[in-house]
Amino acid sequence: MRIAVMIAASVLVAGCSQAVDGQARLTEPARPTPSGTTRASPPTTTAPPPTSAPAPRAPVGEVVRWIEAAPPAEPGGFHTANRDGTSTDLGEGVAFTTPTGTSKCITNSRAEGALTCLVDLKDPPPRPAEVYGEWKGGWVDFPGATLDVGSAHADPGPFSDGFGVELPYGRALNFGDYRCRTDPAGLFCVNYAHQAAARFSDAGIEPFGCLRPVSPPPDIGARFSC
């Protein structure tokens, strides 16, 4: 009987550790490995969201956490486009504009809802020699697996119905495979299907995640691809 009591006491001592505040804390028992040895369980901590806009070449996970940290905007107010005082219902599509008006974005119904933006770039890609028609260096197509900057367009395309309302700073908008957040540093958007993201600002287009610069087709100014 005495031996059993001593064994029980030893188990209780092994199951507790002394914290720096002097209080006894119950610790998780070690888990056996296939070889029969024991190994302490790793801590299960979650990284807090970044407190400032992601820097260039930041990991895409950091970009996603920062975008998701913003309170969601009510999506119902972004399903219309306005042109010369006339509003057009976009159905499930969305349109929005950054507070400075630098980026105007819309989902392209002719491209399976891919995100298309007009960005007022300070230094847009120059017109390629092979391109004819009206060159728009700030036209950005972001379907997810690719990100194209600069292309020629004979008509307004998805912007024929105008532009969307302002997406305020510090708010995030969910639509399709995307989530976008506005900030004074620029517009940040992630495409969850491809784990690719981009920042749109007048200083340029910054890719994140799997997007890497590649040789563009003859009619595109610059291309990034997964």
Side-chain angles (χ1 to χ4, degrees), residues 126-136 150-153 217-221:
R127 176 204 300 265
E130 298 84 353
V131 170
Y132 298 94
E134 185 176 359
W135 176 252
K136 296 185 181 295
S151 51
H153 297 271
D219 57 344
I220 299 295

Side-chain angles (χ1 to χ4, degrees), residues 140-206:
V140 182
D141 286 314
F142 181 32
T146 57
L147 176 67
D148 289 345
V149 185
S151 51
H153 297 271
D155 59 64
F159 298 103
S160 59
D161 294 323
F163 305 108
V165 298
E166 177 184 305
L167 177 60
Y169 285 144
R171 292 284 179 172
L173 181 63
N174 291 340
F175 54 97
D177 291 329
Y178 300 88
R179 185 179 179 103
C180 293
R181 174 179 177 174
T182 53
D183 185 83
L187 169 68
F188 291 78
C189 294
V190 59
N191 179 284
Y192 288 106
H194 296 278
Q195 284 296 292
R199 182 192 71 177
F200 308 85
S201 73
D202 57 359
I205 309 301
E206 180 73 26

Side-chain angles (χ1 to χ4, degrees), residues 1-2 6 10 28 30 41 53-54 64 73 76-77 79 95 112 116 151 180 220 226:
M1 180 65 179
R2 183 177 180 182
M6 292 177 63
S10 299
E28 184 179 355
S41 299
V64 173
H79 291 299
E112 299 181 351
T116 296
S151 51
C180 293
I220 299 295
C226 290

Side-chain angles (χ1 to χ4, degrees), residues 56-120:
R57 295 179 295 279
V60 69
E62 179 181 319
V63 179
V64 173
R65 289 198 305 273
W66 185 78
I67 293 174
E68 292 179 343
E74 172 54 49
F78 298 91
H79 291 299
T80 59
N82 303 282
R83 185 183 184 90
D84 299 328
T86 301
S87 296
T88 301
D89 187 352
L90 300 177
E92 295 183 356
V94 302
F96 60 92
T97 301
T98 57
T100 60
T102 300
S103 297
K104 301 176 178 65
C105 300
I106 195 168
T107 49
N108 192 342
S109 60
R110 298 178 182 178
E112 299 181 351
L115 183 65
T116 296
C117 298
L118 283 175
V119 185
D120 186 12

